[in-house]
């Protein structure tokens, strides 16, 4: 509410004193633009510390706190909880996925180690079998060579014995012919073939 000072109240002091109508008003004079006496702002307390406004301040504090609490409970807290649940679910899924991948990696490593051990065992078995086969083949070849050599030696011995027998037979014939010729030269007549053969045979026994 604005207070307006009558015109004559402003004109009379101006005429009496001879000062300008726009000069500063006296102390306690009401300002025509704000309707508040000068010096009132300086005398009044700061509004938040004014005891006359404590009730309204507490009321607005309770209302503001209630609205903020409802906002936290109905809007902010559910959103934060949903975000935390979503992150917890994602972390759990990531941990499960990491565990599954680790289990697969462990299984793959175990399978690889098993296959490697089987391959090593197989290679050792193949090497042993190859060595055994080579030894058996060498032994078989050795026996075959020994058998062949033995047969050849037996054949050679039989042939030598045959040659000796033929040689001894030829020697007997030659000896009989030689003995017959010697007897003929000595006595001037031919000796009987049977007597010459008997004499040669007797000489062989003595030899």
């Amino acid at each position: 509410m604005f207070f307006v000072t009558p015109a004559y109240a402003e004109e009379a002091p101006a005429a009496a004193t001879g000062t300008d109508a726009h000069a500063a008003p006296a102390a306690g004079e009401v300002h025509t633009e704000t309707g508040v006496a000068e010096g009132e702002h300086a005398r009044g307390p700061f509004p938040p510390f004014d005891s006359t406004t404590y009730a309204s301040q507490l009321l607005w504090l309770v209302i503001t706190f209630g609205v903020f609490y409802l906002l936290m409970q109905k809007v902010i807290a559910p959103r934060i909880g949903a975000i935390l649940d979503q992150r917890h679910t994602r972390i759990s899924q990531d941990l499960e996925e990491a565990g599954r991948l680790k289990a697969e990696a462990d299984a793959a490593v175990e399978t690889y180690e098993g296959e490697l051990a089987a391959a090593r065992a197989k290679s050792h078995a193949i090497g042993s079998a190859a060595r055994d086969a080579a030894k058996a083949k060498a032994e078989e070849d050795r026996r075959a060579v020994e058998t062949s050599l033995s047969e050849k030696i037996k054949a050679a011995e039989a042939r030598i014995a045959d040659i000796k027998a033929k040689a001894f037979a030829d020697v007997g014939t030659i000896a009989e012919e030689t003995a017959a010729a010697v007897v003929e030269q000595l006595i001037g007549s031919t000796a009987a073939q049977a007597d010459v053969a008997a004499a040669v045979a007797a000489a062989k026994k003595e030899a």
Side-chain angles (χ1 to χ4, degrees):
M1 181 176 180
F2 297 95
F3 297 94
V4 181
T5 306
Y8 68 88
E10 293 180 358
E11 293 176 356
T17 58
T19 59
D20 191 0
H22 297 287
E29 184 179 357
V30 177
H31 199 278
T32 58
E33 294 181 359
T34 61
V36 179
E38 287 212 19
E40 184 175 351
H41 291 294
R43 292 193 302 271
F46 186 60
F49 301 122
D50 190 0
S51 61
T52 59
T53 61
Y54 281 173
S56 62
Q57 291 182 24
L58 292 174
L59 177 62
W60 282 108
L61 178 63
V62 171
I63 293 173
T64 304
F65 181 78
V67 171
F68 183 72
Y69 178 77
L70 291 176
L71 182 64
M72 286 287 296
Q73 185 178 12
K74 301 296 183 182
V75 178
I76 299 176
R79 289 185 180 180
I80 294 176
I83 292 173
L84 292 178
D85 292 339
Q86 183 179 3
R87 290 186 177 180
H88 179 71
T89 303
R90 182 177 298 175
I91 291 172
S92 300
Q93 292 176 353
D94 292 340
L95 290 177
E96 292 178 358
E97 182 69 15
R100 185 181 65 82
L101 293 176
K102 184 178 182 299
E104 291 180 357
D106 293 339
V109 170
E110 185 177 358
T111 302
Y112 170 75
E113 290 179 351
E115 292 179 354
L116 182 61
R120 288 177 178 174
K122 187 176 181 180
S123 63
H124 290 164
I126 291 173
S128 298
R131 286 193 298 270
D132 294 340
K135 288 172 66 177
K137 184 68 170 56
E139 185 67 20
E140 184 179 357
D141 293 341
R142 184 183 65 79
R143 290 178 181 177
V145 170
E146 288 179 354
T147 303
S148 177
L149 290 175
S150 178
E151 291 177 354
K152 290 181 179 180
I153 290 171
K154 289 180 180 180
E157 290 177 350
R159 187 174 180 183
I160 291 170
D162 188 25
I163 292 172
K164 283 182 178 180
K166 288 182 178 180
F168 282 125
D170 292 340
V171 168
T173 303
I174 294 171
E176 290 177 0
E177 293 178 353
T178 304
V182 170
V183 169
E184 185 179 359
Q185 291 292 330
L186 289 175
I187 62 175
S189 61
T190 303
Q193 186 66 29
D195 295 336
V196 175
V200 171
K204 286 181 180 179
K205 287 180 182 180
E206 293 178 357

